Amino acid sequence: MNLGQTEPIYEQQKPMDELREECGVFGIYDFSGEDVASTIYYGLFALQHRGQESCGIAVSDTNGPKGKVLSHKGMGLVNEVFTGEHLAQMKGDIGVGHVRYSTAGGSTRENAQPLVLNYVKGTLALAHNGNLVNTPELRRELELGGAIFQTTIDTEVIAYHIARERVRTRNVEEAVANAMKKLKGAYSLIIMSPRKLIGARDPYGFRPLCIGKRDHAYILASETCALDTIGAEYVRDVEPGEIVTITPKNTVVSSTEKHYVQGGIPVEKENLDAEAAIASNRSMCFPPERQCETARCVFEYIYFGRADSYLDGVSVYDSRIRAGRYLAIDSPVEADLVVGVPESGNVAALGYSLESGIPYGMAFMKNSYVGRTFIKPGQSSRESSVRVKLNVLREAVEGKRVIMIDDSIVRGTTSDRIVRMLRDAGAKEVHMRVSSPPFLYPCYFGTDVPAREQLIAYDREIEDIRRIIGADSLAYLSLERLPELTGGLPICNGCFTGKYPMDPPSEDIRGDYIH
């Protein structure tokens, strides 16, 4: 049952030079039978930074008619799509929610999640964060079998493959495991079946997924900040390649608690050698040739994650403090003030200040009510999307040498405008420091880094970029510093090096199938 769709209220305004967040997923199973829709709402609210284009919630009552799902989704922010009336109608003790951002071509109400699928075994509701690189092949296989698609997102492809596997497996966990053998790319999944909540993460661990607990309820969420918001305690992260199943009978059961692989042979955990023990978080659903080194997206720590979150046990706040400190060590400059471009640049700016001894200050006022869906000005309007979102505090920067810290430069247009705004406000010098290396290659795993030709760093020296954006000096975080941001966890840095943990697709399909 669908509780209705929300029509778009605003035209979409996508800034030219900002990375777009990916998606956020949230799921909960309350064993005491309490309704969970309002909890999902607040969980999604905490994850709003991960996707501000569309959102949705699907719930079910495990004590009611099997397979009856109530859902509501639409375009816009969480507090725009959902009202108290919507939430009051959504009765159920198990549910899943999603916030989404897409690239060009995918911004439609039909592509909002969670997806609810009715099939011969009942229902599935699925929310997905990440992007597959083999979507066209998987989609073609299903189409040749008679599948009819309602969306253009790879989440529907995943859902269909799970449903098809479920017809010939003992339970939905096995169906998920079999489907995962076919999936290539980045995915953190939350799947709601009539009596189970399942979380799954790709073997590389590109995208985060954690487990929480509150009273008699268990939660799956993209980030720990969502657990904090609803008063839940952090239990642990879902490991790369792991499938977890949440039920009242067994609480949290992991696919990796019973099955370990050494030399391609299942062994007991206590019999693993040291090298295999390190890799013991890999699920048996992956054959030896698919077992791999983990490759967490480093931009989760630089930009996507909320500063108060922990991702795979690493504090996002600490990662950004370290990035700022390394910039101060490796690229010092004399100045009077260090400022950050809100929000993700603020903590790195504090780190730069702590290391350099140069005072940290606030130079920008951010309009917190803009989000990403403000009314688009007419063609004749002179209003800049940057100025709508940010304004400079003249009193803070006038007559001063300013170090401005931002998380990245994509095309350079926004950096150019912000540097100009600081100069217009009276800054004597503007030195830009970037808490990531230069983008040189596109991303195919969920971060909207565009084609090389659109990247300002492509085929340009840093001095060329400095001249284009109008800064007095420019420096990036060095590539060698990236592993230190994640405490040594293996990372994916393909957008900086072109060395991806798996082969990218032969054609750039992101406009059609990306989230």
Side-chain angles (χ1 to χ4, degrees):
M1 177 180 177
N2 194 309
L3 296 179
Q5 301 289 357
T6 300
E7 295 295 334
I9 299 174
Y10 309 113
E11 291 188 63
Q12 295 295 316
Q13 172 86 4
K14 293 184 178 179
M16 294 179 63
D17 194 37
E18 291 192 15
L19 287 179
R20 300 179 187 120
E21 291 90 352
E22 314 143 323
C23 296
V25 294
F26 186 94
I28 181 171
Y29 192 166
D30 193 320
F31 301 158
S32 64
E34 295 294 322
D35 291 334
V36 298
S38 61
T39 299
I40 298 173
Y41 172 87
Y42 287 112
L44 295 182
F45 205 82
L47 298 173
Q48 187 77 85
H49 60 286
R50 297 186 67 87
Q52 299 162 39
E53 177 182 276
S54 66
C55 59
I57 295 174
V59 300
S60 182
D61 183 356
T62 60
N63 297 310
K66 190 173 183 180
K68 181 181 178 181
V69 175
L70 301 174
S71 68
H72 180 70
K73 57 186 179 180
M75 304 299 292
L77 304 176
V78 174
N79 64 343
E80 295 170 345
V81 171
F82 290 95
T83 65
E85 184 179 353
H86 289 135
L87 298 174
Q89 294 179 56
M90 302 184 76
K91 302 293 185 182
D93 55 353
I94 185 172
V96 60
H98 189 271
V99 291
R100 177 177 183 264
Y101 221 116
S102 76
T103 57
S107 177
T108 64
R109 187 175 60 194
E110 290 74 22
N111 287 345
Q113 297 186 45
L115 294 185
V116 178
L117 196 68
N118 296 295
Y119 70 118
V120 68
K121 287 285 188 176
T123 58
L124 288 175
L126 187 146
H128 168 211
N129 173 209
N131 280 338
L132 304 183
V133 298
N134 64 335
T135 296
E137 304 97 281
L138 295 177
R139 191 181 182 97
R140 197 171 302 117
E141 176 188 342
L142 292 166
E143 287 173 335
L144 290 174
I148 300 173
F149 288 88
Q150 304 297 318
T151 76
T152 59
I153 55 176
D154 49 8
T155 307
E156 190 174 15
V157 174
I158 297 171
Y160 275 171
H161 275 281
I162 293 173
R164 192 166 74 167
E165 292 294 334
R166 178 66 185 94
V167 174
R168 49 179 177 255
T169 56
R170 293 174 299 173
N171 53 52
V172 68
E173 302 96 295
E174 287 187 17
V176 173
N178 287 346
M180 287 171 68
K181 295 175 185 177
K182 303 177 181 180
L183 308 181
K184 295 180 181 179
Y187 54 89
S188 284
L189 306 173
I190 301 180
I191 301 133
M192 179 183 74
S193 73
R195 301 288 188 268
K196 294 174 181 176
L197 188 68
I198 296 169
R201 196 173 175 195
D202 72 72
Y204 293 91
F206 282 108
R207 302 296 160 209
L209 190 64
C210 65
I211 306 170
K213 182 180 186 297
R214 184 184 71 181
D215 301 326
H216 300 291
Y218 279 86
I219 299 102
L220 294 166
S222 290
E223 295 185 35
T224 59
C225 65
L227 304 180
D228 297 335
T229 296
I230 65 166
E233 61 180 287
Y234 165 79
V235 175
R236 67 176 180 87
D237 290 276
V238 177
E239 297 288 349
E242 184 180 20
I243 302 168
V244 296
T245 305
I246 298 172
T247 61
K249 181 179 179 181
N250 300 311
T251 61
V252 180
V253 174
S254 169
S255 62
T256 61
E257 288 177 351
K258 297 180 181 179
H259 304 294
Y260 298 89
V261 174
Q262 183 170 304
I265 302 171
V267 296
E268 296 297 322
K269 184 176 181 179
E270 55 269 21
N271 294 331
L272 290 173
D273 62 29
E275 183 178 352
I278 294 173
S280 64
N281 60 352
R282 297 169 190 163
S283 169
M284 267 291 290
C285 70
F286 294 100
E289 64 271 16
R290 288 288 305 278
Q291 294 179 14
C292 55
E293 290 298 324
T294 56
R296 294 160 179 84
C297 174
V298 71
F299 239 77
E300 291 283 356
Y301 300 87
I302 294 170
Y303 175 67
F304 291 126
R306 217 169 78 170
D308 53 338
S309 286
Y310 286 76
L311 306 178
D312 286 306
V314 177
S315 164
V316 174
Y317 177 85
D318 286 347
S319 294
R320 293 176 187 169
I321 287 287
R322 285 196 289 271
R325 285 186 178 276
Y326 296 146
L327 282 171
I329 293 169
D330 300 339
S331 305
V333 64
E334 291 186 7
D336 306 304
L337 183 69
V338 183
V339 302
V341 178
E343 297 288 341
S344 52
N346 288 342
V347 180
L350 177 58
Y352 193 107
S353 172
L354 292 171
E355 185 66 35
S356 67
I358 300 171
Y360 170 78
M362 190 171 86
F364 302 100
M365 288 299 297
K366 183 177 181 181
N367 185 345
S368 301
Y369 303 100
V370 171
R372 297 290 177 90
T373 52
F374 54 87
I375 297 171
K376 189 174 183 179
Q379 290 185 353
S380 61
S381 175
R382 296 174 59 89
E383 278 75 27
S384 160
S385 61
V386 177
R387 290 186 181 274
V388 170
K389 294 179 67 175
L390 293 176
N391 196 33
V392 178
L393 292 165
R394 178 177 293 273
E395 293 81 359
V397 303
E398 192 169 20
K400 294 180 180 177
R401 300 168 297 175
V402 178
I403 300 172
M404 181 182 78
I405 312 289
D406 205 354
D407 57 82
S408 61
I409 304 178
V410 186
R411 296 173 176 87
T413 51
T414 296
S415 300
D416 168 27
R417 293 170 189 170
I418 296 177
V419 169
R420 197 180 320 133
M421 286 166 63
L422 287 170
R423 293 199 189 281
D424 290 345
K428 189 161 58 175
E429 297 175 8
V430 180
H431 303 274
M432 187 167 184
R433 298 293 180 267
V434 185
S435 58
S436 65
F439 282 125
L440 297 173
Y441 300 87
C443 173
Y444 300 98
F445 308 110
T447 303
D448 186 30
V449 181
R452 295 192 73 185
E453 294 75 15
Q454 300 178 47
L455 299 170
I456 192 173
Y458 173 64
D459 209 25
R460 287 189 179 94
E461 300 294 331
I462 291 179
E463 177 60 19
D464 297 329
I465 302 170
R466 182 201 67 77
R467 284 197 297 268
I468 291 171
I469 66 174
D472 290 282
S473 71
L474 170 66
Y476 290 84
L477 187 73
S478 70
L479 193 64
E480 293 71 27
R481 292 292 196 183
L482 287 180
E484 300 178 59
L485 302 189
T486 61
L489 288 175
I491 58 172
C492 174
N493 59 15
C495 53
F496 308 126
T497 65
K499 297 178 181 178
Y500 304 103
M502 68 176 73
D503 292 335
S506 55
E507 57 180 319
D508 194 342
I509 60 170
R510 294 174 301 157
D512 293 323
Y513 301 112
I514 201 168
H515 290 217

